[in-house]
Amino acid sequence: MDGVVASGSGDSGLANALAETLGWKHLDLETRRFPDTEGYVRVPNDCLDPIRSGPVALVSTTFPDSAILETLFLLDAIRDVRSGEMSSLKGGEVKESDVGPGVFLVIPYYGYSRQDKRFMAGEAISAKFLARTFASHCDGIVVLDIHAPEAMENMGVPVELVSAMPEIAEHLRENVRPDFVLSPDKGAIERASSVANAIDVPFSYLEKKRIDAHTIEHTPKDLDVEGQVVAIVDDMISTGGTICRASDALRRQGAKEVHAACTHGLFTGGAIHRLGNHVDGVHSTNSLPNPRANVSAAKALSRGVKRLIERMSSEIVVQ
Ligand code: R5P
């Protein structure tokens, strides 16, 4: 079933690559800012028919905050175009038929995914709130390597959680040839061990305690890494603190080379420079534009879109 991949002001390169992988057309939707910084979105005239003619995969992230509103506005505009909802159109109403469900939100990086529970009384569970809000404006969601999958449970629309770990494993096998893979905390065990299995090398993990946003501690652990090339694999790198501390532990135990790999390269506040003092290489997907993006997230996202289409094929009308 052919559809279109649409994107707003986010990374059109990734949306374009996803479209190529699926063999679909890529549509650039109109987005701009008013002088007071409020956002404006529009499905341009030449995109109206393609948006109504088959499934639509909107690639949009939830980071930074302005992207959340843009995503919601784009979903609303796309849904209106598909449902024929043109009421209050200046210059007169246009009547179109409703072409039915088929709007999928594809989220390469899910901002707020780390606020997946109440760590203290009175907190908002931001990850769940956002998920529910998006779910009520689309017919299905694809999310790449979400930090806490539980945030996407019971959304009322199909959700496909996909991972770029197969592509990260392939990249590491070809370019780094690790002898050992390490997860820097318990949360990354599943992802990192899948990379170790794919490359067929030994695996271990560290136990991490976060003191604050910038400070973490690892419980000391004996790792058999003397003279080895080690890849530390995590879902995201933000300040780089987790990776730097894990790398220090590996070096103390004789690791010859240490590389860091992640799906989401946030690299906040000098992280790239900090990492440069601790690891021999940094590898990331392009789920967020970043200077270390050397693995494409398009294939992983396409797996999710294909699965959603399969699950919903009986409900989607192709014009
Ligand atoms: C948290 O558990 C995540 O998986 C990452 O380990 C963490 O977000 C990385 O943050 P930072 O780079 O600031 O240590």
Side-chain angles (χ1 to χ4, degrees), residues 181-197 203-207 221 233-234:
V181 170
L182 180 77
S183 167
D185 55 30
K186 281 182 157 177
I189 288 179
E190 201 180 320
R191 279 182 254 267
S193 62
S194 75
V195 171
N197 288 340
F203 164 82
S204 190
Y205 67 94
L206 294 175
E207 288 196 44
K221 183 175 187 182
V233 177
D234 207 346

Side-chain angles (χ1 to χ4, degrees), residues 233-307:
V233 177
D234 207 346
D235 60 336
M236 68 177 83
I237 301 178
S238 179
T239 64
T242 300
I243 295 290
C244 293
R245 294 289 79 75
S247 176
D248 294 347
L250 289 163
R251 303 263 194 215
R252 281 196 296 275
Q253 299 192 43
K256 177 174 80 177
E257 238 181 80
V258 179
H259 289 256
C262 66
T263 302
H264 310 299
L266 278 160
F267 303 129
T268 53
I272 295 275
H273 178 73
R274 198 169 308 120
L275 287 162
N277 294 327
H278 292 263
V279 297
D280 299 285
V282 180
H283 313 261
S284 160
T285 78
N286 57 351
S287 67
L288 289 162
N290 74 77
R292 294 295 177 273
N294 47 20
V295 178
S296 173
K299 258 196 192 170
L301 295 176
S302 75
R303 290 194 283 274
V305 175
K306 282 181 193 158
R307 291 206 294 256

